[in-house]
Amino acid sequence: IITFFQKVQVLEQERRKNLLPKWTGDVVGTLHVHNIEIRELAAKMGCAPEYLGKILNGKREPKNAEDKVKEALNELVKEREEK
């Protein structure tokens, strides 16, 4: 028998799993503002666009992902601003 409290705990754990880190939203917003495609960012990082998409959608969480993605994104933004 599952108590009401246990059910609430399970639902809360599932809700937490579905929340994306704030930085991924910031990255997607920056991509949009600067008209940069995910494939361009993935190429800059040396990974497949599909893999980067999984990172940004919270399906993959590799070590130092936030730093690596932001570094590559900042380089692309700088390149765009220099044009």
Side-chain angles (χ1 to χ4, degrees):
I1 293 177
I2 296 176
T3 66
F4 175 75
F5 180 71
Q6 289 170 323
K7 181 68 174 172
V8 169
Q9 281 183 317
V10 169
L11 290 172
E12 181 63 19
Q13 287 171 349
E14 289 178 13
R15 185 190 68 79
R16 284 188 194 140
K17 285 182 196 174
N18 294 329
L19 292 177
L20 295 175
K22 181 185 179 307
W23 72 266
T24 61
D26 295 341
V27 167
V28 171
T30 303
L31 289 172
H32 178 74
V33 167
H34 293 279
N35 199 28
I36 299 171
E37 296 183 14
I38 286 182
R39 66 180 175 78
E40 294 175 82
L41 180 55
K44 183 64 116 176
M45 293 177 60
C47 71
E50 295 81 6
Y51 184 66
L52 178 56
K54 289 178 182 181
I55 293 171
L56 295 177
N57 285 315
K59 306 276 190 248
R60 296 280 187 267
E61 295 180 12
K63 190 175 182 181
N64 300 322
E66 179 178 359
D67 293 335
K68 291 176 183 177
V69 172
K70 286 183 174 181
E71 181 181 340
L73 181 58
N74 289 336
E75 289 176 19
L76 282 173
V77 168
K78 230 179 204 180
E79 291 171 10
R80 291 283 168 102
E81 289 174 347
E82 290 173 357
K83 287 183 181 180

